[in-house]
Amino acid sequence: MRQAPVTSKAVRRQHDREIVSLALPLFLMVDSAIVGHLGTPQLAGLAIAAALLSTAVSVFVFLAYATTAAVSRRVGAGDIQAAIRQGMDGIWLALLLGAAVVALTLPTAPGLIDVFGASDTAAPYAVTYLRISSLGIPAMLVVLAATGVLRGLQDTRTPLYVAIGGFATNAALNVGLVYGADLGIAGSAWGTVIAQYGMAAVYLVVVVRGARRHGASLRPDAAGIRASAQAGAPLLVRTLSLRAVLMIATAVAARLGDAEVAAHQIILSLWSLMAFALDAIAIAGQAIIGRYLGADDAQGARQVCRRMVQWGVVSGIALGVLVIAARPLFIPLFTSDPTVQDTLLPALLVVAVSQPISGVVFVLDGVLMGAGDGPYLAWAMLLTLAVFAPVALLIPMLGGGLTALWWAMTLMMTVRMLTLWLRARSGRWIVTGATR
């Protein structure tokens, strides 16, 4: 970032309180932990299906990100009614997209699993999990959009409570259906679907109450839905590129063997947990930066950006140390297979070392999203994909293993950090006003 007045201790403390109060470090790893004890083929099947499901949902994460940025700008400008109206357009768009994704996924599930090169033992479990879990996609997209509305309104307590409730419900249902009802991997999928619809229902109640309180219309508006889709298009490109990175990584791991892809799923789950913990600061950044820019406070936006980067670095170091220290405790929770455990350990150490880089990446990603700088994020992620893909695809050909794959993932995060840091330093992301 360019030079700006030094932030006083009082202002830093204010930013710290705001960042902490808006942070949401939570990710659901129940499926991986429970299914891992059914056997390595089941966990390998879950790994492949989970990558596809994550893609089906995460490509539409702009429903949360773009909505947060747009709503928070309106909040900064003092127009709460317009902020909620924009949020409702995002929720209607989520329902339409969710129905379309389910209609596409159900008949194509076996073909999609085959593309990933699943083994004969893992493929049936992957197809079962994918088909059942896809039924929860509309609920998850509604959760994304509604979460964006609440974050934009500077309310992250409600998403935290809903996430905790969903986590607990999912855990109980998974244990009960997988082991109690003896449904195996299908039980894990059904437990997740039920929990997802429960979360969506709670969100809808909260958002509808807020809309009625502020006099915002609940009816679908075609122009508003189109505007929401257009605003999210660059973030869709950005997210598709990121998902392509993760799918390539899973496909490479699948071709290394069942033990490797099972270990990869465990590491990816832990990596995602740490990513979402770091993303807590980015989520705060989306809401806070959008509000500052909506209120025409460019200096405040710069100051809070710098402070969040500091938080990201420190948090990344802390998470890396925690992973190294706690690995003997949590690895047995995911799998009892000694081959899988031996395979994942060196790759996990690579992940731990790279966490400070991840801390900077997630924070700056959130800052630029909050500023509505989607086009730059799209081009930056396309460049990152172009660097990562050939490196990852060469790993099996050169005889590399899972550790080499995660070094390639670290390269990917380093490229992201450089592109985001250059943009943040330029100051070109700072555009003030109720709309960008």
Side-chain angles (χ1 to χ4, degrees):
M1 278 73 67
R2 291 176 179 171
Q3 291 184 355
V6 177
T7 308
S8 69
K9 290 184 178 180
V11 173
R12 286 200 301 270
R13 285 195 295 268
Q14 176 187 348
H15 290 159
D16 289 347
R17 288 193 297 270
E18 210 165 21
I19 293 166
V20 171
S21 68
L22 290 176
L24 177 59
L26 185 63
F27 183 74
L28 309 183
M29 295 192 299
V30 174
D31 288 3
S32 295
I34 293 175
V35 172
H37 289 282
L38 291 175
T40 298
Q42 287 88 336
L43 184 57
L46 173 65
I48 297 169
L52 287 165
L53 284 165
S54 296
T55 299
V57 174
S58 296
V59 293
F60 301 117
V61 75
F62 71 83
L63 291 166
Y65 294 159
T67 301
T68 298
V71 171
S72 62
R73 275 183 179 266
R74 294 284 189 180
V75 169
D79 193 347
I80 304 298
Q81 185 183 74
I84 296 177
R85 176 63 261 179
Q86 283 195 317
M88 287 304 305
D89 292 335
I91 290 174
W92 282 111
L93 177 61
L95 286 170
L96 294 173
L97 292 173
V101 173
V102 173
L104 179 64
T105 304
L106 287 176
T108 61
L112 292 171
I113 297 301
D114 286 342
V115 169
F116 272 76
S119 67
D120 292 340
T121 56
Y125 297 111
V127 172
T128 296
Y129 191 89
L130 178 60
R131 278 182 164 160
I132 296 173
S133 293
S134 68
L135 299 176
I137 289 175
M140 285 309 299
L141 297 191
V142 168
V143 167
L144 286 175
T147 299
V149 176
L150 296 182
R151 288 175 183 168
L153 293 170
Q154 316 297 292
D155 174 12
T156 54
R157 288 188 178 184
T158 299
L160 175 61
Y161 297 150
V162 174
I164 291 173
F167 178 89
T169 301
N170 190 22
L173 288 171
N174 268 264
V175 173
L177 295 175
V178 171
Y179 297 114
D182 199 25
L183 294 179
I185 197 169
S188 178
W190 280 117
T192 301
V193 169
I194 294 169
Q196 288 166 347
Y197 275 97
M199 293 169 68
V202 173
Y203 271 119
L204 288 176
V205 169
V206 173
V207 173
V208 168
R209 285 179 179 174
R212 289 176 175 171
R213 183 166 58 252
H214 294 282
S217 174
L218 297 173
R219 295 179 180 178
D221 177 67
I225 294 172
R226 283 196 302 272
S228 294
Q230 291 169 357
L235 291 181
L236 176 61
V237 173
R238 169 258 182 203
T239 306
L240 282 171
S241 301
L242 178 57
R243 296 312 306 179
V245 166
L246 299 180
M247 286 193 297
I248 289 171
T250 299
V252 170
R255 283 162 173 77
L256 295 175
D258 277 2
E260 284 77 6
V261 74
H264 176 73
Q265 170 61 16
I266 294 171
I267 296 172
L268 189 60
S269 293
L270 291 166
W271 185 77
S272 298
L273 171 63
M274 291 184 287
F276 272 74
L278 295 170
D279 205 33
I281 308 170
I283 289 168
Q286 291 171 36
I288 298 171
I289 292 292
R291 196 189 72 237
Y292 273 110
L293 295 178
D296 295 320
D297 188 353
Q299 181 180 350
R302 285 182 181 275
Q303 290 174 343
V304 78
C305 174
R306 281 194 297 272
R307 191 56 174 168
M308 284 187 291
V309 169
Q310 294 169 4
W311 273 78
V313 173
V314 172
S315 299
I317 293 172
L319 285 173
V321 172
L322 180 62
V323 167
I324 293 174
R327 67 188 187 279
L329 300 176
F330 62 74
I331 288 178
L333 295 177
F334 288 95
T335 180
S336 55
D337 188 326
T339 302
V340 176
Q341 291 182 358
D342 292 342
T343 301
L344 70 85
L345 185 56
L348 187 62
L349 295 178
V350 174
V351 173
V353 170
S354 69
Q355 286 312 294
I357 296 173
S358 298
V360 176
V361 168
F362 286 106
V363 165
L364 292 180
D365 208 36
V367 166
L368 298 185
M369 285 182 187
D373 201 16
Y376 181 84
L377 290 172
W379 285 110
M381 198 61 227
L382 284 170
L383 173 63
T384 302
L385 174 60
V387 173
F388 170 79
V391 174
L393 293 174
L394 281 172
I395 289 172
M397 301 178 189
L398 298 177
L402 190 65
T403 302
L405 176 59
W406 277 95
W407 276 120
M409 291 287 285
T410 301
L411 170 65
M412 178 270 295
M413 293 299 290
T414 302
V415 174
R416 289 187 71 191
M417 181 183 69
L418 292 174
T419 57
L420 296 174
W421 177 78
L422 288 172
R423 184 64 167 183
R425 186 174 182 272
S426 74
R428 295 176 183 174
W429 54 277
I430 299 178
V431 179
T432 58
T435 59
R436 183 179 173 88

